[in-house]
Amino acid sequence: MPRIPLGFWAASGAGGTTGGASYELISTTILGATTSTITFSSIPSTYKHLQIRFALVGSGASADRDVLFRLNGDTASNYSVHSLTASGAGAPSSGGNGSQLYIKLLGAVFGIQTIPTAGYIDVLDYASTSKNKTIKTLIGQVQNSSSSSELSLLSGSWMNTATVTSFTLFMNTATFSIGNRVSLYGIKG
Amino acid sequence: MATVTYDPLATITLATTQATITFSSISQSYRDLVLVMSPIATVANDVRIRFNSDTTSVVNTVYMYGNGTSATGGLDTTSTYFLGPDTVGTTAGQMAILNFMDYSATDKNKSVLMRYDKASMGTRFVTGRWASNSAITQLVIYTSSSTFAAGTTMTLYGVAS
């Protein structure tokens, strides 16, 4: 049976492609020590799209546990984002911001102890040099109440036509815990 | 060197009605599982998923749903199963993709992310957490009070890390 990157296409609503060996693991990081930054660099440009999959737990004050995302180490105001989020209390809320210093993937409900925040990020046409880069995500965490749970469907843009060669997941002051896992996959086109 | 993955582990296509679909003895060689399903019910019904036949641990879920007119959301902290596709119809026309993240880990609760689309009804996103650190070795898929109809398909993939 051919390998079909359906997980990738799930969020886009597009159909899958057929053909063997179209979805490849590039690299995985499993933390052996706490850190506030997880970076994947020297990403090969031989794929069409990237997918990042993770299950993360944070430590530190809850208000500091926002999960943030950057491409190519760009710290300028070159990011924009739109989101649809639900906590379980009432209707989902929508939001959007331009000229951001990063893409905020998830808010302060970020996982604690044995309850991870899990999700995936698709980076589309990351190797292109003629278009700005688009990401889309589905990320969730469920604790025992709506005040500490969040489901987020997000789209974001990096206003730069450069090929994506690295990405960084980080928190401003809190840290990712030992055992946290982030994996990078390449999808052929 | 890159590793080819997203491997199909099992595919089920029903030729006749069946009450329960089970994926058992799931390989522990992967990090994530992806389940793609196109369920059909003999009577419109909700699909449920139970982990490792566990009838005790709760599966908390948060969902958001849109039907073209309004958006709703909710939280469930009492069920002992993951509520999958809801109001599955008696004809083909609905599909769901579920991601079971870090399913083989034994140091954390298990997270599920689902997108469910039924063109005649709406689209639903769900995240769930099985309150157990056990590795997932079995998925039992059933309906709340119906059976799966012939033509139901489900495929389970493994994603390495």
Coordinates of all heavy atoms in Angstrom, one line a residue, chain A residues 1-81:
Chain A
M1 N 0.9 -1.2 0.0 CA 0.0 0.0 0.0 C 0.9 1.2 0.0 O 1.9 1.3 0.7 CB -0.9 0.0 1.3 CG -1.8 1.2 1.3 SD -2.8 1.2 2.9 CE -3.8 -0.3 2.6
P2 N 0.6 2.2 -0.8 CA 1.4 3.4 -0.8 C 1.2 4.2 0.5 O 0.2 4.2 1.1 CB 0.8 4.2 -2.0 CG -0.6 3.8 -2.2 CD -0.5 2.3 -1.8
R3 N 2.3 5.0 0.8 CA 2.2 5.8 2.0 C 1.5 7.1 1.6 O 1.9 7.8 0.6 CB 3.6 6.1 2.5 CG 4.2 4.9 3.1 CD 5.6 5.2 3.6 NE 6.2 4.0 4.3 CZ 6.8 3.1 3.7 NH1 7.0 3.1 2.4 NH2 7.3 2.0 4.4
I4 N 0.5 7.5 2.3 CA -0.3 8.7 2.0 C -0.3 9.7 3.1 O -0.7 9.3 4.2 CB -1.7 8.2 1.7 CG1 -1.8 7.2 0.7 CG2 -2.6 9.4 1.3 CD1 -3.1 6.5 0.5
P5 N 0.2 10.9 2.9 CA 0.3 11.8 4.0 C -1.0 12.4 4.4 O -1.2 13.6 4.3 CB 1.3 12.9 3.5 CG 1.0 12.8 2.0 CD 0.7 11.4 1.7
L6 N -2.0 11.6 4.8 CA -3.3 12.1 5.1 C -3.3 13.1 6.3 O -4.1 14.0 6.4 CB -4.2 11.0 5.3 CG -4.7 10.3 4.1 CD1 -5.4 8.9 4.4 CD2 -5.7 11.2 3.3
G7 N -2.4 12.8 7.3 CA -2.4 13.7 8.4 C -2.1 15.1 8.0 O -2.7 16.1 8.5
F8 N -1.2 15.3 7.1 CA -0.8 16.6 6.6 C -2.0 17.2 5.9 O -2.4 18.4 6.1 CB 0.3 16.4 5.6 CG 0.7 17.7 5.0 CD1 1.5 18.6 5.6 CD2 0.3 18.0 3.7 CE1 1.8 19.8 5.1 CE2 0.6 19.2 3.1 CZ 1.4 20.1 3.8
W9 N -2.7 16.5 5.0 CA -3.8 17.0 4.3 C -5.0 17.2 5.1 O -5.9 17.9 4.7 CB -4.1 16.2 3.1 CG -2.9 16.1 2.1 CD1 -2.1 15.0 1.9 CD2 -2.4 17.1 1.3 NE1 -1.2 15.3 1.0 CE2 -1.3 16.6 0.7 CE3 -2.7 18.5 1.2 CZ2 -0.5 17.4 -0.2 CZ3 -2.0 19.2 0.3 CH2 -0.9 18.7 -0.4
A10 N -5.1 16.6 6.3 CA -6.3 16.7 7.1 C -6.6 18.2 7.4 O -7.8 18.5 7.3 CB -6.0 16.0 8.4
A11 N -5.7 19.0 7.7 CA -6.0 20.4 8.0 C -6.2 21.2 6.8 O -6.8 22.3 6.9 CB -4.8 20.9 8.9
S12 N -5.7 20.8 5.7 CA -5.9 21.6 4.5 C -7.2 21.4 3.8 O -7.7 22.2 3.0 CB -4.7 21.4 3.5 OG -4.8 20.1 2.9
G13 N -7.7 20.2 4.0 CA -8.9 19.8 3.3 C -8.7 19.3 1.9 O -9.6 19.0 1.1
A14 N -7.4 19.2 1.5 CA -7.1 18.7 0.2 C -7.0 17.2 0.2 O -7.1 16.6 1.2 CB -5.7 19.3 -0.3
G15 N -7.0 16.7 -1.0 CA -6.9 15.2 -1.1 C -5.4 14.8 -0.9 O -4.5 15.6 -1.2
G16 N -5.2 13.6 -0.6 CA -3.9 13.0 -0.4 C -3.3 12.7 -1.8 O -4.0 12.6 -2.8
T17 N -2.0 12.5 -1.8 CA -1.3 12.1 -3.0 C -1.0 10.6 -2.9 O -1.0 10.1 -1.8 CB 0.0 12.8 -3.2 OG1 0.8 12.6 -2.1 CG2 -0.3 14.3 -3.4
T18 N -0.8 10.0 -3.9 CA -0.4 8.6 -3.9 C 1.0 8.4 -4.3 O 1.6 9.3 -4.9 CB -1.3 7.7 -4.8 OG1 -1.3 8.2 -6.1 CG2 -2.8 7.8 -4.3
G19 N 1.5 7.2 -4.1 CA 2.9 7.0 -4.5 C 3.7 6.7 -3.2 O 3.4 7.2 -2.2
G20 N 4.7 5.9 -3.3 CA 5.5 5.5 -2.2 C 6.4 6.5 -1.6 O 6.8 7.4 -2.3
A21 N 6.8 6.4 -0.3 CA 7.8 7.1 0.3 C 7.6 8.6 0.1 O 8.6 9.3 -0.2 CB 9.2 6.7 -0.3
S22 N 6.5 9.1 0.4 CA 6.2 10.6 0.2 C 6.3 11.3 1.5 O 6.3 12.5 1.5 CB 4.9 10.8 -0.4 OG 3.8 10.2 0.4
Y23 N 6.4 10.6 2.6 CA 6.4 11.2 4.0 C 7.6 10.7 4.7 O 7.7 9.5 5.0 CB 5.1 10.9 4.7 CG 4.8 11.6 6.0 CD1 4.0 12.7 6.0 CD2 5.4 11.2 7.2 CE1 3.7 13.4 7.2 CE2 5.1 11.8 8.4 CZ 4.3 12.9 8.4 OH 4.0 13.6 9.5
E24 N 8.5 11.6 5.1 CA 9.8 11.1 5.7 C 10.1 11.9 7.0 O 9.9 13.1 7.1 CB 10.9 11.3 4.7 CG 10.8 10.5 3.5 CD 12.0 10.6 2.5 OE1 12.8 11.5 2.8 OE2 12.0 9.9 1.5
L25 N 10.6 11.1 8.0 CA 11.1 11.7 9.2 C 12.4 12.3 8.9 O 13.3 11.6 8.5 CB 11.2 10.6 10.3 CG 11.9 11.0 11.6 CD1 11.1 12.1 12.3 CD2 12.1 9.8 12.4
I26 N 12.6 13.6 9.2 CA 13.9 14.2 9.0 C 14.7 14.2 10.3 O 15.9 13.9 10.3 CB 13.7 15.7 8.6 CG1 13.0 15.7 7.2 CG2 15.0 16.4 8.5 CD1 12.5 17.1 6.8
S27 N 14.0 14.6 11.4 CA 14.7 14.6 12.7 C 13.8 14.6 13.9 O 12.6 15.1 13.7 CB 15.6 15.9 12.7 OG 16.4 15.9 13.9
T28 N 14.2 14.1 15.0 CA 13.4 14.2 16.2 C 14.3 14.7 17.4 O 15.5 14.3 17.5 CB 12.9 12.8 16.6 OG1 11.8 12.5 15.7 CG2 12.3 12.8 18.0
T29 N 13.7 15.5 18.2 CA 14.4 15.9 19.5 C 13.5 15.4 20.6 O 12.3 15.7 20.7 CB 14.5 17.4 19.5 OG1 15.5 17.9 18.6 CG2 15.0 17.9 20.9
I30 N 14.2 14.7 21.5 CA 13.5 14.3 22.8 C 14.4 14.9 23.9 O 15.6 14.6 24.0 CB 13.4 12.8 22.9 CG1 12.5 12.3 21.8 CG2 12.8 12.5 24.3 CD1 12.4 10.7 21.8
L31 N 13.9 15.8 24.6 CA 14.7 16.6 25.6 C 15.3 15.7 26.7 O 14.5 15.0 27.4 CB 13.9 17.8 26.2 CG 13.4 18.8 25.2 CD1 12.7 19.9 25.9 CD2 14.6 19.4 24.4
G32 N 16.6 15.9 26.9 CA 17.2 15.2 28.0 C 17.4 16.2 29.2 O 17.8 15.8 30.3
A33 N 17.1 17.5 29.0 CA 17.2 18.5 30.0 C 16.2 19.6 29.7 O 15.8 19.7 28.5 CB 18.6 19.1 30.0
T34 N 15.8 20.3 30.7 CA 14.8 21.4 30.4 C 15.5 22.5 29.6 O 16.7 22.7 29.7 CB 14.3 22.0 31.7 OG1 15.5 22.5 32.4 CG2 13.6 21.0 32.6
T35 N 14.7 23.1 28.8 CA 15.2 24.2 28.0 C 14.0 25.1 27.6 O 12.9 24.7 27.6 CB 15.8 23.7 26.7 OG1 16.3 24.8 25.9 CG2 14.9 22.9 25.8
S36 N 14.3 26.4 27.3 CA 13.3 27.3 26.9 C 13.1 27.4 25.3 O 12.2 28.0 24.8 CB 13.5 28.7 27.4 OG 14.8 29.2 27.0
T37 N 14.1 26.8 24.6 CA 14.1 26.9 23.2 C 14.4 25.5 22.5 O 15.4 24.8 23.0 CB 15.2 27.9 22.8 OG1 14.9 29.2 23.4 CG2 15.3 28.1 21.2
I38 N 13.7 25.2 21.5 CA 13.9 24.0 20.7 C 14.1 24.4 19.3 O 13.1 25.0 18.7 CB 12.8 23.0 20.9 CG1 12.6 22.5 22.3 CG2 13.1 21.8 20.0 CD1 11.4 21.7 22.6
T39 N 15.2 24.2 18.7 CA 15.5 24.7 17.3 C 15.9 23.5 16.4 O 16.7 22.6 16.8 CB 16.7 25.7 17.3 OG1 16.3 26.8 18.1 CG2 17.0 26.1 15.9
F40 N 15.3 23.5 15.3 CA 15.7 22.6 14.2 C 16.4 23.4 13.1 O 15.7 24.3 12.6 CB 14.5 21.8 13.6 CG 14.0 20.7 14.5 CD1 13.5 20.9 15.8 CD2 14.0 19.4 14.0 CE1 13.1 19.9 16.6 CE2 13.5 18.3 14.8 CZ 13.1 18.6 16.1
S41 N 17.6 23.1 12.8 CA 18.3 23.9 11.8 C 18.8 23.1 10.6 O 18.7 21.8 10.7 CB 19.5 24.7 12.4 OG 20.3 23.8 13.0
S42 N 19.3 23.7 9.6 CA 19.9 23.0 8.4 C 18.8 22.1 7.8 O 19.1 20.9 7.4 CB 21.1 22.2 8.8 OG 22.1 23.1 9.3
I43 N 17.6 22.6 7.8 CA 16.5 21.8 7.2 C 16.7 21.6 5.7 O 16.9 22.6 5.0 CB 15.1 22.4 7.4 CG1 14.9 22.5 8.9 CG2 14.0 21.7 6.7 CD1 13.6 23.3 9.3
P44 N 16.8 20.4 5.2 CA 17.0 20.2 3.7 C 15.8 20.8 2.9 O 14.7 20.8 3.4 CB 17.1 18.7 3.6 CG 16.4 18.1 4.7 CD 16.6 19.1 5.9
S45 N 16.1 21.3 1.8 CA 15.1 22.0 0.9 C 14.6 21.0 -0.2 O 14.1 21.5 -1.2 CB 15.7 23.2 0.3 OG 16.8 22.9 -0.5
T46 N 14.7 19.7 0.1 CA 14.4 18.7 -0.9 C 12.9 18.3 -0.9 O 12.5 17.3 -1.6 CB 15.3 17.5 -0.8 OG1 15.3 17.1 0.6 CG2 16.7 17.9 -1.2
Y47 N 12.1 18.9 0.0 CA 10.7 18.5 0.1 C 9.8 19.6 -0.4 O 10.3 20.7 -0.6 CB 10.4 18.1 1.6 CG 11.2 16.9 2.1 CD1 12.4 17.2 2.8 CD2 10.8 15.6 1.9 CE1 13.2 16.1 3.3 CE2 11.6 14.6 2.4 CZ 12.8 14.8 3.1 OH 13.5 13.8 3.6
K48 N 8.6 19.3 -0.4 CA 7.6 20.3 -0.8 C 7.0 21.0 0.4 O 6.8 22.3 0.4 CB 6.4 19.7 -1.6 CG 5.4 20.7 -2.2 CD 6.0 21.5 -3.3 CE 4.9 22.4 -3.9 NZ 5.5 23.3 -5.0
H49 N 6.7 20.3 1.4 CA 6.1 20.8 2.6 C 6.8 20.2 3.9 O 7.4 19.1 3.8 CB 4.6 20.5 2.7 CG 3.9 20.9 1.5 ND1 3.7 22.1 1.0 CD2 3.2 20.1 0.6 CE1 3.0 22.2 -0.1 NE2 2.6 20.9 -0.3
L50 N 6.6 20.8 5.0 CA 7.1 20.3 6.3 C 6.0 20.0 7.2 O 5.0 20.8 7.1 CB 8.1 21.2 6.9 CG 9.4 21.6 6.2 CD1 10.1 22.7 6.9 CD2 10.3 20.4 5.9
Q51 N 6.1 19.1 8.1 CA 5.2 18.9 9.2 C 6.0 18.7 10.4 O 6.9 17.9 10.5 CB 4.2 17.7 9.0 CG 3.2 17.7 10.1 CD 2.1 16.6 9.8 OE1 2.3 15.4 10.0 NE2 0.9 17.1 9.5
I52 N 5.5 19.4 11.5 CA 6.2 19.3 12.8 C 5.1 18.7 13.7 O 4.0 19.2 13.8 CB 6.6 20.7 13.3 CG1 7.6 21.4 12.3 CG2 7.2 20.6 14.7 CD1 7.6 22.9 12.4
R53 N 5.5 17.7 14.4 CA 4.5 17.0 15.3 C 5.2 17.0 16.7 O 6.4 16.8 16.9 CB 4.3 15.6 14.9 CG 3.7 15.4 13.5 CD 3.6 14.0 13.1 NE 2.6 13.3 13.8 CZ 1.3 13.2 13.4 NH1 0.9 13.7 12.3 NH2 0.4 12.5 14.2
F54 N 4.3 17.3 17.7 CA 4.9 17.4 19.1 C 4.0 17.0 20.2 O 2.7 17.0 20.0 CB 5.4 18.8 19.3 CG 4.4 19.9 19.1 CD1 3.5 20.2 20.1 CD2 4.3 20.5 17.9 CE1 2.5 21.2 19.9 CE2 3.3 21.5 17.7 CZ 2.4 21.8 18.7
A55 N 4.5 16.7 21.3 CA 3.8 16.5 22.6 C 4.7 17.2 23.6 O 5.8 16.7 23.9 CB 3.5 15.1 22.9
L56 N 4.2 18.3 24.2 CA 5.0 19.1 25.0 C 4.4 19.3 26.4 O 3.2 19.4 26.6 CB 5.2 20.5 24.4 CG 5.9 20.5 23.0 CD1 5.8 21.9 22.4 CD2 7.3 20.1 23.1
V57 N 5.3 19.4 27.4 CA 4.9 19.8 28.7 C 5.8 20.9 29.2 O 7.0 20.9 28.9 CB 5.1 18.5 29.7 CG1 4.8 18.9 31.1 CG2 4.1 17.4 29.3
G58 N 5.2 21.9 29.9 CA 6.0 23.0 30.3 C 6.1 23.1 31.8 O 5.3 22.5 32.6
S59 N 7.1 23.8 32.3 CA 7.2 24.1 33.7 C 7.5 25.6 33.9 O 7.9 26.2 33.0 CB 8.4 23.3 34.3 OG 9.6 23.6 33.7
G60 N 7.1 26.1 35.1 CA 7.2 27.5 35.3 C 5.8 28.1 35.5 O 4.8 27.4 35.4
A61 N 5.7 29.3 35.8 CA 4.4 30.0 36.0 C 3.5 29.9 34.8 O 4.0 30.0 33.6 CB 4.7 31.5 36.3
S62 N 2.3 29.6 35.0 CA 1.4 29.3 33.9 C 1.3 30.5 33.0 O 1.1 30.3 31.8 CB 0.0 28.9 34.4 OG -0.6 30.0 35.2
A63 N 1.3 31.7 33.5 CA 1.2 32.9 32.7 C 2.4 33.0 31.7 O 2.3 33.8 30.7 CB 1.1 34.1 33.5
D64 N 3.5 32.3 32.0 CA 4.7 32.4 31.1 C 4.8 31.3 30.1 O 5.8 31.2 29.4 CB 5.9 32.4 32.0 CG 6.0 33.6 32.9 OD1 5.4 34.7 32.5 OD2 6.5 33.5 34.0
R65 N 3.8 30.4 30.1 CA 3.9 29.2 29.3 C 3.3 29.3 27.9 O 3.0 28.3 27.4 CB 3.3 28.0 30.1 CG 4.3 27.5 31.2 CD 3.8 26.2 31.7 NE 3.2 26.4 33.0 CZ 2.0 26.1 33.4 NH1 1.1 25.7 32.5 NH2 1.6 26.3 34.6
D66 N 3.2 30.4 27.3 CA 2.8 30.5 25.9 C 3.9 29.8 25.1 O 5.1 29.9 25.3 CB 2.8 32.0 25.5 CG 1.7 32.8 26.2 OD1 0.8 32.1 26.8 OD2 1.7 34.0 26.1
V67 N 3.4 29.1 24.1 CA 4.3 28.4 23.1 C 4.4 29.3 21.9 O 3.4 29.6 21.3 CB 3.8 27.0 22.8 CG1 4.8 26.3 21.9 CG2 3.5 26.2 24.1
L68 N 5.6 29.7 21.6 CA 5.9 30.6 20.5 C 6.7 30.0 19.4 O 7.4 29.0 19.6 CB 6.6 31.8 21.0 CG 6.0 32.4 22.3 CD1 6.9 33.5 22.9 CD2 4.6 33.0 22.0
F69 N 6.6 30.5 18.2 CA 7.2 29.9 17.0 C 7.8 30.9 16.1 O 7.2 31.9 15.8 CB 6.0 29.1 16.3 CG 6.4 28.3 15.1 CD1 7.1 27.1 15.2 CD2 6.1 28.8 13.8 CE1 7.5 26.4 14.0 CE2 6.5 28.1 12.7 CZ 7.1 26.9 12.8
R70 N 9.0 30.6 15.6 CA 9.7 31.5 14.6 C 10.3 30.7 13.5 O 10.7 29.5 13.7 CB 10.8 32.3 15.3 CG 10.3 33.5 16.0 CD 11.4 34.4 16.6 NE 10.9 35.6 17.2 CZ 11.4 36.0 18.4 NH1 12.3 35.4 19.0 NH2 10.9 37.1 18.9
L71 N 10.5 31.3 12.4 CA 11.2 30.7 11.2 C 12.5 31.4 11.0 O 12.5 32.7 11.0 CB 10.3 30.7 10.0 CG 9.0 29.9 10.1 CD1 8.1 30.1 8.9 CD2 9.3 28.4 10.2
N72 N 13.5 30.7 10.6 CA 14.8 31.2 10.3 C 15.3 32.2 11.3 O 16.1 33.1 10.9 CB 14.7 31.8 8.9 CG 14.7 30.8 7.8 OD1 14.4 29.7 8.0 ND2 14.9 31.3 6.5
G73 N 14.9 32.1 12.5 CA 15.4 33.0 13.6 C 15.1 34.4 13.4 O 15.7 35.3 14.0
D74 N 14.0 34.7 12.6 CA 13.6 36.1 12.3 C 12.9 36.6 13.6 O 11.8 36.2 13.9 CB 12.7 36.1 11.1 CG 12.3 37.5 10.7 OD1 12.8 38.5 11.4 OD2 11.6 37.6 9.7
T75 N 13.5 37.7 14.2 CA 13.0 38.3 15.4 C 12.2 39.6 15.1 O 11.8 40.3 16.0 CB 14.1 38.5 16.4 OG1 15.1 39.4 15.8 CG2 14.7 37.2 16.8
A76 N 12.1 39.9 13.8 CA 11.4 41.2 13.5 C 9.9 40.9 13.4 O 9.4 39.8 13.5 CB 11.9 41.7 12.1
S77 N 9.1 42.0 13.2 CA 7.7 41.9 13.2 C 7.2 41.5 11.8 O 6.4 42.2 11.1 CB 7.1 43.3 13.5 OG 7.6 43.7 14.8
N78 N 7.5 40.3 11.5 CA 7.1 39.8 10.2 C 6.1 38.6 10.2 O 6.0 37.9 9.2 CB 8.4 39.3 9.5 CG 9.3 40.4 9.1 OD1 8.9 41.5 8.8 ND2 10.7 40.2 9.2
Y79 N 5.4 38.5 11.3 CA 4.5 37.4 11.4 C 3.1 37.9 11.5 O 2.8 38.9 12.2 CB 4.8 36.5 12.6 CG 6.2 35.9 12.5 CD1 7.3 36.6 13.1 CD2 6.5 34.7 11.9 CE1 8.6 36.2 13.1 CE2 7.8 34.2 11.9 CZ 8.8 34.9 12.5 OH 10.1 34.5 12.5
S80 N 2.1 37.1 11.0 CA 0.7 37.4 11.2 C 0.0 36.1 11.5 O 0.5 35.0 11.1 CB 0.1 38.1 10.0 OG 0.1 37.3 8.9
V81 N -1.2 36.2 12.2 CA -1.8 35.0 12.6 C -3.3 35.2 12.7 O -3.8 36.3 13.0 CB -1.3 34.5 14.0 CG1 -1.5 35.5 15.0 CG2 -1.8 33.2 14.4

